[in-house]
Amino acid sequence: MEFIKALNQTFATGKTQSLTWRREQLTALKNLLEENEQAIYQALEQDLSKCTFEAYMAEYAFVLSDINLFIKKLTQWAKPRRMATPLLALPGSSKLRPEPLGLVLIIGAWNYPIQLTLSPMIAAIAAGNTVVLKPSELAEKTSNLLAQLIPQYLDNSAIAVYEGGVDNTTALLKQRFDHIFYTGGKNVGKIVLRAASEHLTPVTLELGGKSPCIVDDDCDLKVTADRIIWGKFLNAGQTCVAPDYILVSRKQREPLILALQQALIKQYGPQPQLSDDYGRIINTQHVERLISYLDGQGDNIVCGGQSEIAEKYIAPTLVLNPALDSPIMQNEIFGPLLPIIEVENMQAAIAFIKAREKPLALYLFSKNRQLIKELSEKTSAGTLCVNDAVIFMINHHQPFGGVGESGLGAYHCQ
Ligand code: NAD
């Protein structure tokens, strides 16, 4: 691939190491966003029926805030840091010098197609790397827009967008990169890791899986329901850290279902299909996958269940006690279906989580400090979030990434 050769040559010149160049590129990316805000919202609307508020909050403003942070911190983060030196090595001195790796490949997923491509790209540029950006082909309009705008604003000798589907990604992965940053499902994550191993290329794998949500008897039920509904049905459930299922006691089960139904009406009205705030599924294949998860659930569906394939619509749906070996509990849902599983008590909830893969996010709604402490000590997850859902993603001060099957490495950390 000729363009890869050219990007490597650019890196070899040392051009991207200059802090001035990095700052210029970040500023150019900021201009790209600000001058094309409406076009971005339009592409997201076409791909996912994302409403403007969601598109602003979870994509546009998220990325803009990343750029501002990196511009502000660039000099400080790029500076060599003095390290301690042991007595025997004195009068020597030691420094840790941050340096770019070289050419970075970023493979993005379709659900937040601006955030998941540009956010890692900001970090790669700020660190002085050259970049190949591969947006997801499933969010086609956004991918096309990025491919059109990035060459207009950024340095083409150092930053390239490469669009396309599986064949193109497969071809890209045969090339040698100095880092690969992949966001998506675990099966392709394994393909990426295998390809990277050929060149001993380090990787960051931002994967997904089932993120559990425990609702304790001792919690503010109204606030809990509001926050779960917001976190779950944002982007029609197509969020890697959305609560995948709820664990709740028998006693709390009915009050919780009622509170969830009320929160749904409050946020999306009695007919979510008519709500401007409720998104659509990315494509008909995924609609059919999600509908198949409801096969045989019958009376377990306590709310929602409606769908319209032509409109890529699936209603916000609550499913009570689906069989644990059914597809809805065996796969990451990644859509607007929310199983509610009854457990004996909170100890059983903890055991339930420990018996499964380590999640990307783990949620607990509780006022019980002892339970919060116990859950944090006995379980492992990318992030444990207490008494809220999804919002932790905006915290730039903590790393974001999975553990075990939910991911390898992290970003948003220095
Ligand atoms: P996807 O289908 O868009 O695939 C992601 C990327 O992989 C795309 O760019 C695609 O071209 C490429 N790809 C697909 N198949 C390939 C193959 N066989 N070989 C090489 N490349 C291939 O996205 P997806 O996998 O449907 O994304 C959903 C998953 O991503 C969920 O599991 C979700 O939890 C996870 N996710 C994680 C995060 C995170 O930050 N941790 C964020 C969003 C999504």
Side-chain angles (χ1 to χ4, degrees):
M1 287 185 172
E2 279 308 309
F3 79 102
I4 302 267
K5 215 194 246 175
L7 293 170
N8 280 321
Q9 280 165 357
T10 302
F11 184 76
T13 65
K15 179 187 193 181
T16 62
Q17 303 219 19
S18 128
L19 290 190
T20 308
W21 180 89
R22 302 186 206 183
R23 201 170 286 112
E24 277 168 6
Q25 295 309 303
L26 294 175
T27 307
L29 188 57
K30 190 171 170 178
N31 293 340
L32 179 159
L33 287 172
E34 287 174 347
E35 288 166 20
N36 298 282
E37 185 176 353
Q38 294 310 320
I40 289 168
Y41 295 156
Q42 197 184 349
L44 292 168
E45 209 279 323
Q46 289 172 325
D47 283 330
L48 286 146
S49 296
K50 234 177 236 212
C51 67
T52 305
F53 178 69
E54 257 187 51
Y56 170 80
M57 180 197 62
E59 307 251 27
Y60 180 83
F62 189 101
V63 173
L64 209 55
S65 130
D66 255 12
I67 297 176
N68 289 334
L69 179 74
F70 274 87
I71 290 177
K72 189 171 152 209
K73 298 279 188 180
L74 190 64
T75 312
Q76 182 193 333
W77 288 346
K79 221 184 245 169
R81 265 158 261 164
R82 190 176 278 283
M83 313 295 285
T85 303
L87 193 64
L88 279 179
L90 291 179
S93 66
S94 317
K95 276 186 185 166
L96 184 68
R97 187 177 172 277
E99 58 180 36
L101 291 166
L103 179 57
V104 175
L105 170 63
I106 295 166
I107 305 177
W110 50 265
N111 57 333
Y112 290 88
I114 293 288
Q115 185 209 126
L116 299 175
T117 46
L118 298 190
S119 201
M121 189 170 89
I122 291 162
I125 293 172
N129 299 287
T130 49
V131 177
V132 176
L133 185 67
K134 162 61 189 70
S136 172
E137 67 279 16
L138 298 195
E140 193 188 351
K141 301 288 181 214
T142 315
S143 172
N144 294 169
L145 186 67
L146 289 173
Q148 178 205 324
L149 294 177
I150 286 178
Q152 286 174 29
Y153 284 81
L154 300 186
D155 180 349
N156 292 307
S157 72
I159 298 153
V161 181
Y162 190 77
E163 290 189 274
V166 176
D167 289 349
N168 285 13
T169 321
T170 306
L172 261 187
L173 285 170
K174 293 208 171 92
Q175 309 300 310
R176 181 186 176 283
F177 292 94
D178 299 295
H179 192 92
I180 301 177
F181 189 105
Y182 167 78
T183 304
K186 72 173 179 189
N187 292 333
V188 178
K190 289 179 192 171
I191 294 173
V192 171
L193 191 54
R194 241 176 263 133
S197 74
E198 281 304 313
H199 303 286
L200 293 175
T201 298
V203 294
T204 307
L205 301 179
E206 292 286 346
L207 310 178
K210 290 181 92 63
S211 293
C213 175
I214 301 176
V215 177
D216 185 23
D217 291 355
D218 183 13
C219 73
D220 181 330
L221 207 51
K222 191 174 161 302
V223 172
T224 297
D226 278 344
R227 292 180 181 177
I228 291 176
I229 292 298
W230 179 77
K232 175 68 187 186
F233 297 108
L234 179 75
N235 202 23
Q238 301 162 111
T239 302
C240 57
V241 289
D244 187 275
Y245 61 90
I246 293 176
L247 298 171
V248 67
S249 73
R250 170 178 284 267
K251 180 178 153 214
Q252 184 75 309
R253 185 185 95 177
E254 292 309 319
L256 174 68
I257 290 173
L258 191 65
L260 290 171
Q261 285 169 327
Q262 284 166 350
L264 263 174
I265 291 173
K266 189 165 106 187
Q267 291 180 38
Y268 297 108
Q271 287 177 282
Q273 196 166 0
L274 304 179
S275 165
D276 289 339
D277 297 332
Y278 189 66
R280 294 294 182 267
I281 306 305
I282 184 72
N283 59 26
T284 43
Q285 250 172 309
H286 277 282
V287 177
E288 283 161 5
R289 171 183 68 82
L290 290 161
I291 291 175
S292 78
Y293 289 173
L294 295 179
D295 278 354
Q297 293 302 342
D299 289 346
N300 294 340
I301 299 174
V302 291
C303 176
Q306 305 83 357
S307 56
E308 207 171 303
I309 296 180
E311 220 199 280
K312 292 183 280 180
Y313 170 76
I314 297 192
T317 299
L318 306 179
V319 187
L320 180 60
N321 285 329
L324 297 183
D325 60 358
S326 60
I328 198 171
M329 285 308 293
Q330 289 293 313
N331 300 288
E332 177 183 1
I333 296 169
F334 217 55
L337 316 176
L338 181 56
I340 299 165
I341 308 287
E342 190 183 303
V343 286
E344 259 324 288
N345 49 38
M346 291 300 104
Q347 292 310 314
I350 293 175
F352 192 99
I353 289 159
K354 280 173 69 88
R356 286 163 176 77
E357 293 297 336
K358 293 175 183 175
L360 184 58
L362 171 58
Y363 297 104
L364 171 63
F365 287 86
S366 177
K367 291 181 187 164
N368 180 339
R369 283 175 183 276
Q370 183 52 38
L371 179 62
I372 297 168
K373 184 169 180 285
E374 195 178 343
L375 188 72
S376 70
E377 286 171 359
K378 288 190 174 166
T379 60
S380 173
T383 301
L384 167 62
C385 178
V386 179
N387 290 322
D388 216 326
V390 177
I391 197 75
F392 70 86
M393 289 288 300
I394 65 164
N395 185 352
H396 287 300
H397 304 289
Q398 63 180 24
F400 172 68
V403 54
E405 282 214 351
S406 57
L408 183 64
Y411 62 155
H412 302 167
C413 50
Q414 309 104 45

